[in-house]
Amino acid sequence: MKVLDLDIPGRLWLGTARYSSPMVLADALAVDGIGFVTVSLRRQNPGDRSGDQFWDLVKKANKPVLPNTAGCHSAEEAINLALMAREIFATPWIKLEVIGDDYTLAPDPFALVEAATELTKQGFHVLPYCTDDLILGQKLLDAGCPALMPWGAPIGTGGGLANPRALAAYRNKFHHVPCIVDAGIGAPSQACEAMEMGFDAVLLNTAVAKAGDPVLMAKAFSNAIQAGNDAYRAGLMTPSDVAVPSTPVVGMPFWHQEPV
Amino acid sequence: MSQVSLNGEWQPLENEVPLVEALALWGYGEAKVAVAVNGQFVARSQHGEVTVKAGDQVDVVAPVTGG
């Protein structure tokens, strides 16, 4: 798939947090079908070189990197963290997160638009973590975002597609723009469902990182996402409220006309 | 004593110094970090121009895992 001019090598966009070890993370990142790999920035004490070690590991995966602004609660914080990320990771791509509510980690729509507008002016390619609100989606596109990333469910819940009707409407409304379901995905079947709706990719982290076997789970998600995308492109049948026999009715034996 | 908040912890700093000197003093050396002073990003190219003084809040960040 492509966003702007960037060829993204897969439709499973994978977070790098919460793995049991760097080795497990490295093996998960080697699974086929992974596109963007998300990373972040946090305070580092003098003498601590864990940041360098982590960044070396991610670079070896040879995937496009998508820094996030996770944890920011205002447009100003998100803008400054994005600028720091661009310097560290040497990429104009940013996953814009501005949290509006600590209980649900729901995005702040107003701060999102404000930050997206400014970051786009400063040359960023902003991929916003947003709700499935159609008006917000349009405002983010107006701000210059090249793609939209509505949530499936709150971050880290594994709740799947909490509002499938809204997401289906979202996909239809923004059919001309890459749309990625970001957050809340707990099972490959949920990712497949999003892809069957026509979403272009799924971004997830915890469901893989906290699996008993994260590498196998990454493969399961990759396969499910590919299956869902294949199904969408093949064209799903239209559901019916009444039964329709699949075997031909004409020529059915044992039925004979009554004598005349 | 004059102090600067480094990543949320107060550190002594006697005089106003260029950011690049403060970072070296604190032991960051050549580490791959990005810096904000009082909440505003300071590009690496500006570390020799921007100064740090008592009461300033400095954030030094590095790559970490993220979702």
Side-chain angles (χ1 to χ4, degrees), chain A residues 27 40 57 74 84 120 159 234 251:
Chain A
D27 289 344
S40 197
L57 183 156
S74 69
M84 296 164 103
T120 300

Side-chain angles (χ1 to χ4, degrees), chain A residues 87, chain B residues 19 35 40-48 50:
Chain A
E87 183 174 82
Chain B
L19 177 59
V35 184
Q40 301 299 309
F41 167 66
V42 180
R44 183 170 288 273
S45 61
Q46 296 298 306
H47 287 190
V50 172

Side-chain angles (χ1 to χ4, degrees), chain A residues 43-44 46 68 76 80 87, chain B residues 26 28 40-41 44 59 67:
Chain A
R43 286 170 166 171
Q44 180 168 280
N68 69 30
E76 184 179 12
N80 277 285
E87 183 174 82
Chain B
W26 292 326
Y28 285 102
Q40 301 299 309
F41 167 66
R44 183 170 288 273
D59 288 287

Side-chain angles (χ1 to χ4, degrees), chain B residues 13-37:
Chain B
L13 189 76
E14 292 298 337
N15 303 305
E16 183 169 344
V17 296
L19 177 59
V20 67
E21 288 183 24
L23 291 172
L25 180 70
W26 292 326
Y28 285 102
E30 298 301 311
K32 191 176 184 64
V33 294
V35 184
V37 176

Side-chain angles (χ1 to χ4, degrees), chain A residues 1-77:
Chain A
M1 65 175 292
K2 269 191 165 192
V3 181
L4 294 176
D5 290 332
L6 182 68
D7 281 314
I8 300 168
R11 297 177 186 274
L12 168 56
W13 295 11
L14 193 59
T16 55
R18 307 187 72 185
Y19 291 82
S20 57
S21 74
M23 189 177 298
V24 171
L25 168 60
D27 289 344
L29 294 182
V31 167
D32 287 340
I34 293 176
F36 267 123
V37 170
T38 56
V39 295
S40 197
L41 290 173
R42 285 294 180 268
R43 286 170 166 171
Q44 180 168 280
N45 292 323
D48 181 358
R49 292 294 180 269
S50 59
D52 292 347
Q53 292 161 6
F54 167 68
W55 181 222
D56 287 343
L57 183 156
V58 171
K59 281 190 288 189
K60 283 181 186 163
N62 200 27
K63 307 283 186 193
V65 171
L66 183 61
N68 69 30
T69 61
C72 290
H73 285 73
S74 69
E76 184 179 12
E77 284 182 5

